[in-house]
Amino acid sequence: MVGPSLRVSLAGLRFENPLMLASGIVGVTVPSLTRAIDSGAGSAVSKSIGLEPREGYRNPTLVATQDGGLLNAVGLSNPGARIFAEELSEVRGRHLPIIVSIFGGGPVEFSRVVDILDSQEFLAYELNLSCPHVEGVGTEIGHDPEVVASVVKAVRSRTKKPLFAKLSPNTHKIVEIARAAVASGADGLTAVNTVRAMAINVETTKPTLTHKYGGLSGDAIRSIALAKIYELYEEVKVPIIGCGGVSNWEHAVEMMLAGASAVEMGTALYQGYGVFQDVNRGIVAYMRRKKFRKVQEMVGLGH
Ligand SMILES: Cc1cc2nc3c(=O)[nH]c(=O)nc-3n(C[C@H](O)[C@H](O)[C@H](O)COP(=O)(O)O)c2cc1C
């Protein structure tokens, strides 16, 4: 008898399995994306790329919190669209399942980034509308449905590649924002980016991160992400990529039951790239036990 299949298709794309490398964790260079794919990820999302190179904030930019979270304010450090386009040109012909995350200060900047990258070989864009710790390009854009609509429309007019709008959990308007993105041409949603958070060092008595505020990821945000996915699945009819605190197969299955067609993993990668194989194996064992033949049969079953 043929075993369960991990293959998924969403927004016209086909992946070997539902697991994806989340943006920004190890994916700053193209080789780190290919390493995730070689290690069992069905696809890999790049670090968010902007128009110009950006250094990011001074250290400390990362701190582990006592609630099982990781707090970061890296500051969207990236090599800029031109250099990243050159890097992508080096893997042309390999047909790698790479998704490029982009950010910008508004529709014009997003469009310019797309114009530089679009002729390269990659599958889709993830629009980072949701970084909680960079002024002017993050949630200031992503929390305003009208600005989201203008960004998605602008990008839609420049490319035929599928667009995934990555949403912020730091708003009560997530459904309204998702609807604005979809009405303007987004093919899918990624939910969610990090939760705005802070840590204070009791010895120095001051915020631990140089930038003071950061984005929380990992175990501490999984239940928040799950509720956002569940809510979006009921309200918006495009595929959802789940993201936030997934580090084992149960977490991934939980997200699919909530409505995610694929699942990104970020912070879990700090335990090593082996996590993709482990989670895939766990999902297959679960599917066998529950007699699911396709991943799609699980998606949204929690409703
Ligand atoms: C160090 C670090 C850097 C990140 N950089 C980005 C980024 O450039 N673009 C983006 O959309 N998300 C970025 N994220 C957010 C992750 O892609 C993901 O949405 C978040 O960490 C929640 O998933 P996780 O709990 O599996 O890590 C970053 C997260 C971390 C921890």
Side-chain angles (χ1 to χ4, degrees), residues 65-111:
T65 62
Q66 289 177 10
D67 47 20
L70 179 74
L71 186 58
N72 93 84
V74 175
L76 290 176
S77 51
N78 81 98
R82 284 176 200 85
I83 290 180
F84 196 68
E86 273 171 37
E87 273 201 46
L88 283 172
S89 69
E90 285 168 25
V91 291
R92 187 178 281 282
R94 288 182 59 191
H95 307 296
L96 296 168
I98 289 176
I99 293 172
V100 177
S101 168
I102 60 172
F103 73 92
V108 175
E109 209 172 300
F110 266 93
S111 301

Side-chain angles (χ1 to χ4, degrees), residues 33 52 56-58 117 121 128 153-154 161 209 220 226 236 278:
L33 300 177
E52 301 297 339
Y57 302 133
R58 272 181 300 120
L117 292 168
E121 188 183 280
N128 181 357
K153 248 182 228 151
K161 296 189 205 279
L209 296 172
L226 199 64
V236 191
D278 292 347

Side-chain angles (χ1 to χ4, degrees), residues 105-155:
V108 175
E109 209 172 300
F110 266 93
S111 301
R112 289 180 65 194
V113 174
V114 171
D115 289 347
I116 294 168
L117 292 168
D118 207 51
S119 61
Q120 298 303 325
E121 188 183 280
F122 58 94
L123 291 182
Y125 292 96
E126 187 174 81
L127 309 180
N128 181 357
L129 304 164
S130 44
C131 180
H133 55 74
V134 179
E135 287 65 34
V137 296
T139 46
E140 280 159 43
I141 286 180
H143 283 178
D144 183 336
E146 280 178 28
V147 183
V148 166
S150 69
V151 166
V152 177
K153 248 182 228 151
V155 173

Side-chain angles (χ1 to χ4, degrees), residues 16-33:
E16 283 299 306
N17 68 66
L19 302 184
M20 305 171 64
L21 172 68
S23 176
I25 312 296
V26 291
V28 184
T29 61
V30 172
S32 52
L33 300 177

